[in-house]
Amino acid sequence: MKITGCELRRIRLPLVEPFRTSFGTQHARELLLLRIVTPEAEGWGECVAMSDPLYSAEYLDGAEHVVKRFLLPRLAVAPELTAAHVAPLLAPVKEHRMAKAALEMAVLDAELRAARVPFARYLGAVHDRVPAGVSVGIMDSVDRLLDAVAGYLDEGYLRIKLKIQPGWDVEPVRAVREHFGDELLLQVDANTAYTLADAPLLALLDPFGLLLVEQPLAEDDVRGHAELAKRIRTPVCLDESITSARAAADALTSGACSIVNIKPGRVGGYLEARRIHDVCTAMGAPVWCGGMLETGIGRAANVALAALPGFVLPGDTSASARYYAQDITAPFVLSDGHLQVPDAPGFGVEIQPDVLDEVTVSSDWVTLDSLR
Ligand code: OSB
Ligand code: MG
């Protein structure tokens, strides 16, 4: 494939309700979309970086800059380009995995559309629908949390994840467990809000039969997680720390975690995400698909990924309506607690141009010949 150009589009989608985590409160999702144009087809990529560098070091303005200044020029001069070439071509540029992932994604969509192959088939997916969990933000009171969880369970969600932080952990977990019963699939996510000194506090979660505790300690604290895992009964799952297949193998081998949250953006793309799935599955570790408040584009791709055989736990792959009143593609809807895996070529979803224009903040066009 030869890329003619790339559109970089910044959009802003209001969230249906504020989403509070241990690193901040979001009222809207700002995003960077990439549209790759080739003579054969077009492809869309979604960058999962957030406005501020609070979840990860990457952030939107930085991602847009690195795509234009360092990544697109490397693709422009490539003699041959398929999605599989993107990561090796961009490897000399350190880190910036979310920016790289967005580019790989756009190339992948274009390539698969040109070949008329659905992404799920390309990946080796084995399911035509995937079970949906939901990530529930920190609330002002336990009563409001119970209302929110009850609402999601009524809608059919099959697993609840509670965001926690010091001061909002044992009490909300106990309340949800007592109110909804032992059968509820329940897990928590701390987004690095604790230290190893909090091990006795985190052990207080042991009696509640949680599926896992996600990223309790700092991103680079592999040793701390391994030590913590010995001191608590709840299985430790890593999110922020897992930046590659090698990081996943290291974390599992050292006992830092026994479960992995796979987020393609965080690891540099869907091809590395699949390798993480393969490594974890080979090592006997369950994986599940995380989320970054994606639009329908990223959601479509995540749902296909989550249909691989090693994804044995429900993911944060919620319906579009959990996030947005109006998505830029046709919405993903919950049916019997599941989302359907798209089966059209590429990621299998179409952008609604009128909606896209409404939510666009800025747009830029880069002609690749100008970089050659
Ligand atoms: O830690 O999994 C996380 C959202 C933004 C950034 C980090 C995380 C999350 C979520 C929500 O938990 C996942 C989703 O529903 O998309
Ligand atoms: Mg997480």
Side-chain angles (χ1 to χ4, degrees):
M1 268 193 334
K2 188 122 179 124
I3 302 179
T4 315
C6 180
E7 181 189 341
L8 297 96
R9 204 183 262 254
R10 293 284 290 269
I11 67 170
R12 183 181 186 279
L13 291 169
L15 290 168
V16 290
E17 60 192 338
F19 184 57
R20 182 168 163 205
T21 66
S22 62
F23 60 82
T25 305
Q26 271 187 284
H27 298 268
R29 180 60 160 126
E30 292 179 288
L31 278 154
L32 169 65
L33 300 178
L34 302 180
R35 181 172 60 99
I36 287 280
V37 178
T38 78
E40 298 84 26
E42 291 188 7
W44 284 92
E46 170 170 345
C47 181
V48 300
M50 311 189 97
S51 316
D52 301 340
L54 302 177
Y55 164 80
S56 63
E58 286 186 84
Y59 64 100
L60 273 175
D61 290 345
E64 182 173 355
H65 181 262
V66 83
V67 167
K68 283 189 207 160
R69 171 88 167 78
F70 297 109
L71 304 183
L72 278 173
R74 285 179 182 267
L75 296 193
V77 298
E80 201 186 340
L81 189 64
T82 67
H85 291 98
V86 172
L89 284 167
L90 302 182
V93 176
K94 308 294 186 201
E95 315 252 342
H96 295 286
R97 295 179 189 86
M98 292 175 175
K100 291 174 179 175
L103 259 182
E104 183 197 79
M105 204 180 158
V107 172
L108 190 49
D109 190 34
E111 179 183 340
L112 294 178
R113 281 172 188 266
R116 314 258 345 127
V117 175
F119 183 45
R121 197 201 303 159
Y122 170 86
L123 277 179
V126 295
H127 306 292
D128 55 16
R129 58 175 209 161
V130 298
V134 60
S135 175
V136 185
I138 293 164
M139 306 257 161
D140 294 335
S141 71
V142 167
D143 280 346
R144 291 205 49 195
L145 175 68
L146 293 177
D147 282 350
V149 171
Y152 289 129
L153 293 176
D154 280 348
E155 288 178 52
Y157 284 103
L158 298 170
R159 184 227 67 192
I160 298 292
K161 162 168 137 182
L162 303 181
K163 289 293 194 178
I164 60 167
Q165 66 180 15
W168 181 265
D169 39 40
V170 179
E171 195 196 346
V173 166
R174 174 184 290 117
V176 168
R177 182 52 90 207
E178 282 176 359
H179 202 271
F180 298 100
D182 290 343
E183 297 300 296
L184 174 67
L185 299 182
L186 183 62
Q187 64 193 52
V188 293
D189 184 1
N191 290 111
T192 76
Y194 297 87
T195 70
L196 188 54
D198 296 312
L201 168 63
L202 292 165
L204 297 177
L205 296 172
D206 284 351
F208 301 112
L210 300 178
L211 287 168
L212 57 91
V213 54
E214 183 179 344
Q215 198 72 43
L217 314 182
E219 184 175 328
D220 62 355
D221 197 1
V222 173
R223 184 199 58 86
H225 281 105
E227 186 57 36
L228 177 68
K230 288 190 247 165
R231 300 201 211 161
I232 64 176
R233 278 214 311 277
T234 309
V236 174
C237 170
L238 290 177
D239 172 359
E240 284 88 332
S241 300
I242 305 298
T243 52
S244 65
R246 184 189 289 141
D250 286 351
L252 290 171
T253 304
S254 65
C257 70
S258 52
I259 302 173
V260 171
N261 168 339
I262 301 184
K263 284 183 186 169
R266 192 191 64 225
V267 306
Y270 283 86
L271 301 186
E272 185 70 5
R274 180 175 53 188
R275 286 189 283 272
I276 297 179
H277 159 274
D278 296 345
V279 164
C280 292
T281 304
M283 294 178 74
V287 302
W288 56 281
C289 184
M292 291 292 289
L293 315 176
E294 283 90 348
T295 73
I297 303 172
R299 195 162 306 284
N302 284 349
V303 164
L305 180 71
L308 287 172
F311 284 78
V312 292
L313 293 169
D316 284 344
T317 44
S318 310
S320 307
R322 180 259 173 271
Y323 314 90
Y324 308 118
Q326 169 84 76
D327 203 339
I328 56 172
T329 66
F332 277 84
V333 293
L334 214 54
S335 164
D336 201 14
H338 291 69
L339 296 190
Q340 198 70 30
V341 179
D343 59 5
F347 300 132
V349 288
E350 299 303 326
I351 299 259
Q352 303 182 283
D354 45 330
V355 181
L356 182 64
D357 284 341
E358 253 171 60
V359 300
T360 295
V361 175
S362 66
S363 128
D364 197 4
W365 171 257
V366 178
T367 303
L368 263 69
D369 264 338
S370 70
L371 305 172
R372 286 186 179 116

